[in-house]
Amino acid sequence: MRKYGQYIYGFDIETTTIQDKDGELKSLMYVGTFGKLSFVTGEIKKDKVIRTWEDFDKYLYTLNRAAAYRKETQLLYCHNNYEWSFIVSNSKFFQEKIRESKSETLMKNERKPLFIRAGNIELRDSLLLLDKSIAELGEELGLPKLDYDYQKERFATTRLEPRDYDYNWRDVEIQLAALWDLIQTDLYIQTLADIPLTATGRTRKYNRYDFRVNDEDSVNYWAYHCKQVFPR
């Protein structure tokens, strides 16, 4: 069985979209934040603030080396499918692992990966698992998403204000708090290996282990019902 570390990492990046000389729209990262959640205590900590893709890759190489030393796989979550393609097309870490065939990908469909394992890092989409936006999760948790002016252009060299950092970190904080809430309320999650990839995976696990679904009377009832509805 795959061994996971005791922390769950999450991150979010903010971008500015500009039009290049050819008229194509391009998104440029100007800030990002990594946070970590202890699977043992539920403590959430801000771990690293980055401004460039070089910062991003440096952080991942460090995280990967530490996980490799412990012979563990490190869980890392982003919270929407857009981040996947954006990351892989800009991160040298992921490009290198893919080029060296040190990566593994499981796809939900042709555009949505369920996970990407690169080296000792396993990147997952928490949106597929939690099935709600950051704003919805924050409202439920009493940790509201912050207001922000997206019309203002910001770049990696821009001197950011505290509200820029706070906005970015709050999204990560909500993501990790929602994951901890799931871990606390889902009786079937005893280790990190038990965390399903999607919300659908959670339902399947409930049905598999819930005696109310799988007791003999229920099985016999549905077998009889299916024979009536779909006779041979």
Side-chain angles (χ1 to χ4, degrees), residues 1-201:
M1 179 180 291
R2 187 174 297 275
K3 180 184 176 183
Y4 290 92
Q6 69 167 356
Y7 288 98
I8 296 173
Y9 286 77
F11 74 95
D12 183 49
I13 56 178
E14 307 299 337
T15 63
T16 290
T17 301
I18 62 170
Q19 193 173 50
D20 65 17
K21 61 180 181 180
D22 298 320
E24 294 184 2
L25 296 178
K26 289 190 175 182
S27 294
L28 304 174
M29 178 175 67
Y30 61 86
V31 70
T33 307
F34 286 89
K36 63 181 183 178
L37 161 68
S38 169
F39 185 77
V40 177
T41 66
E43 183 181 19
I44 295 172
K45 286 185 177 181
K46 183 189 296 183
D47 200 46
K48 182 70 174 180
V49 176
I50 61 171
R51 297 296 306 273
T52 66
W53 285 109
E54 287 77 12
D55 295 338
F56 182 89
D57 285 324
K58 184 177 180 180
Y59 182 86
L60 288 190
Y61 280 115
T62 300
L63 200 64
N64 186 68
R65 280 196 298 270
Y69 178 78
R70 297 189 301 268
K71 298 182 180 179
E72 296 174 341
T73 298
Q74 181 59 64
L75 279 183
L76 174 64
Y77 281 94
C78 59
H79 196 76
N80 64 64
N81 191 55
Y82 168 73
E83 302 278 7
W84 293 86
S85 58
F86 191 58
I87 291 165
V88 172
S89 61
N90 286 279
S91 168
K92 289 183 178 180
F93 173 83
F94 280 99
Q95 291 171 7
E96 176 186 291
K97 299 304 178 184
I98 292 172
R99 186 171 59 250
E100 295 175 352
S101 297
K102 294 181 179 179
S103 68
E104 179 183 353
T105 304
L106 179 63
M107 305 295 293
K108 180 179 181 182
N109 57 47
E110 63 181 7
R111 293 188 177 183
K112 289 187 177 181
L114 291 172
F115 67 74
I116 298 175
R117 290 191 187 120
N120 287 68
I121 293 178
E122 184 173 309
L123 178 63
R124 297 187 185 181
D125 185 352
S126 53
L127 179 58
L128 293 177
L129 174 62
L130 301 171
D131 203 27
K132 293 180 181 178
S133 68
I134 289 293
E136 290 173 314
L137 293 169
E139 186 175 347
E140 291 180 359
L141 294 167
L143 193 65
K145 184 178 174 71
L146 302 180
D147 294 327
Y148 200 56
D149 179 12
Y150 267 106
Q151 301 303 313
K152 181 179 178 181
E153 288 189 343
R154 303 169 180 86
F155 302 96
T157 56
T158 301
R159 183 172 183 175
L160 300 180
E161 300 177 12
R163 75 182 69 177
D164 298 311
Y165 294 107
D166 292 343
Y167 176 83
N168 184 234
W169 165 238
R170 174 57 63 86
D171 281 7
V172 180
E173 191 177 15
I174 292 171
Q175 176 199 44
L176 294 177
L179 288 170
W180 178 244
D181 183 66
L182 171 65
I183 291 167
Q184 289 293 96
T185 56
D186 192 321
L187 299 178
Y188 303 113
I189 298 178
Q190 299 297 315
T191 69
L192 287 181
D194 297 325
I195 300 176
L197 297 171
T198 67
T200 304

